[in-house]
Amino acid sequence: MSISPKEAPVFPDEVRIVGQYYDDKTTRLVRKYGPGPKIHYHVGYYPSGSAPVLEDVTPDAIRAGIRQHQEGLLRFAAEAWGAESRLSGRILDVGCGLGGGSLFWAQEYGAEVTAVTNAPDHAPIVTEFARECGVDDRVRTLVCDAMDLPVEAPYDAAVAIESSGYFDRPRWFQRLARVLRPGASVCVEDVFTVRPHGADVWTEYFYCKPATVHDYAEAAASAGFRLVDEVDATAETAPFWDESAAWTKAVLDTDTSLSPVDRRHLRISLMANQAQGAEWRAGGLRLSFLRFELT
């Protein structure tokens, strides 16, 4: 089911812009990462940095590989965060996208998930996907700004998969301190900056505000959280950009029905993927799994 907070929050301009950005991208996200019901919009995990097979393969075959590696990232996250004990209760999936992670936690760990999004068009899609997966009794959607989460009965954990770069992090942690129970975990998988150019490359395409791990730890500490676990998976996620770029190249080469606008979007995406991969391997960006505990 889809719900809204009792008091509608005031959305700052940049929150509306990001929400509209993702609403506008819905069709393209479904095409690349779909068809559903579990659609993930984040990088994939490649054990030991293993390279995906990209020679003489179709867009559909590449897309299937991307989905496999994206699900692999969630399985790695589950192990890193101790999901069986920490993510099997009442959890917030903050910045849920099209709900792939929410469905994963509900299906794999029996979690009762509140899927939080600031893209209004995504909420009914997540609700329908939950119904298709048979977990609509355990997944509900909430349309609101992450900094204005309504205070309800305490949650056992919060998860943010490549979404926290859009948040005002001090305010976010302050809000989480009000909605999580003592001892609860905040589990963050995201891209963190190492040098200024890395931040520019990430920000220019995704409209987000990446920061360092230290910045996160400081914001968390100010709200009563402490950083207890950090796992660096930069090398194991770098091949995603090759696989993502390969899909885009294959579509541009084979799909004669693309409109000029679609071709322009794909060419921009291809250049962005190549820039991300270069910065990933040059050491300007890092991908880590962080876990904070509320003291």
Side-chain angles (χ1 to χ4, degrees):
M1 62 178 172
S2 178
I3 64 172
S4 296
K6 294 178 181 177
E7 295 183 8
V10 177
F11 286 79
D13 285 346
E14 71 175 26
V15 174
R16 282 201 303 271
I17 289 169
V18 171
Q20 187 62 53
Y21 168 69
Y22 279 103
D23 276 345
D24 293 345
K25 282 175 69 75
T26 301
T27 300
R28 298 197 296 275
L29 293 177
V30 172
R31 176 176 187 176
K32 184 170 184 176
Y33 301 110
K38 282 193 285 188
I39 297 179
H40 308 288
Y41 186 45
H42 53 72
V43 303
Y45 183 82
Y46 304 76
S48 303
S50 56
V53 176
L54 302 175
E55 296 295 328
D56 300 320
V57 287
T58 64
D60 285 346
I62 298 171
R63 180 172 60 182
I66 289 174
R67 287 202 306 269
Q68 176 187 345
H69 293 118
Q70 288 173 320
E71 194 113 333
L73 181 116
L74 292 180
R75 295 192 183 282
F76 182 83
E79 181 178 351
W81 292 333
E84 288 188 4
S85 61
R86 297 191 180 100
L87 300 178
S88 57
R90 194 163 183 258
I91 71 170
L92 288 162
D93 181 10
V94 190
C96 67
L98 291 173
S102 298
L103 303 182
F104 178 84
W105 305 119
Q107 284 187 311
E108 298 293 327
Y109 296 96
E112 180 185 337
V113 184
T114 298
V116 182
T117 178
N118 72 334
D121 288 356
H122 286 186
I125 298 173
V126 175
T127 298
E128 175 58 23
F129 283 161
R131 187 195 63 77
E132 289 181 34
C133 287
V135 293
D136 47 318
D137 60 330
R138 295 201 298 277
V139 175
R140 63 170 185 164
T141 58
L142 172 62
V143 180
C144 77
D145 181 355
M147 276 63 71
D148 292 316
L149 293 164
V151 178
E152 301 177 349
Y155 286 89
D156 299 307
V159 178
I161 302 290
E162 285 173 42
S163 59
S164 63
Y166 294 97
F167 306 159
D168 178 326
R169 282 170 286 268
R171 285 183 57 205
W172 182 52
F173 278 107
Q174 291 286 347
R175 196 63 179 176
L176 288 176
R178 296 187 61 194
V179 303
L180 296 178
R181 62 168 176 78
S185 292
V186 177
C187 301
V188 174
E189 178 270 327
D190 221 313
V191 177
F192 302 92
T193 56
V194 179
R195 63 183 182 186
H197 184 61
D200 292 342
V201 167
W202 193 252
T203 300
E204 285 169 4
Y205 186 69
F206 291 106
Y207 293 91
C208 64
K209 299 171 289 187
T212 66
V213 172
H214 179 71
D215 292 332
Y216 273 74
E218 282 195 332
S222 70
F225 293 89
R226 62 189 181 95
L227 178 60
V228 293
D229 289 312
E230 177 186 353
V231 179
D232 187 328
T234 308
E236 291 82 2
T237 52
F240 172 81
W241 301 109
D242 298 329
E243 196 165 33
S244 181
W247 179 88
T248 305
K249 288 179 183 176
V251 172
L252 284 168
D253 289 344
T254 61
D255 191 341
T256 59
S257 69
L258 291 171
S259 70
V261 172
D262 288 336
R263 285 194 164 275
R264 179 177 180 276
H265 281 305
L266 287 169
R267 285 195 295 268
I268 292 171
S269 176
L270 178 59
M271 289 187 291
N273 282 182
Q274 292 168 335
Q276 308 297 350
E279 196 63 23
W280 222 263
R281 293 183 170 94
L285 295 167
R286 66 185 293 186
L287 185 137
S288 292
F289 296 82
L290 309 181
R291 188 173 68 84
F292 303 87
E293 281 186 359
L294 181 59
T295 57

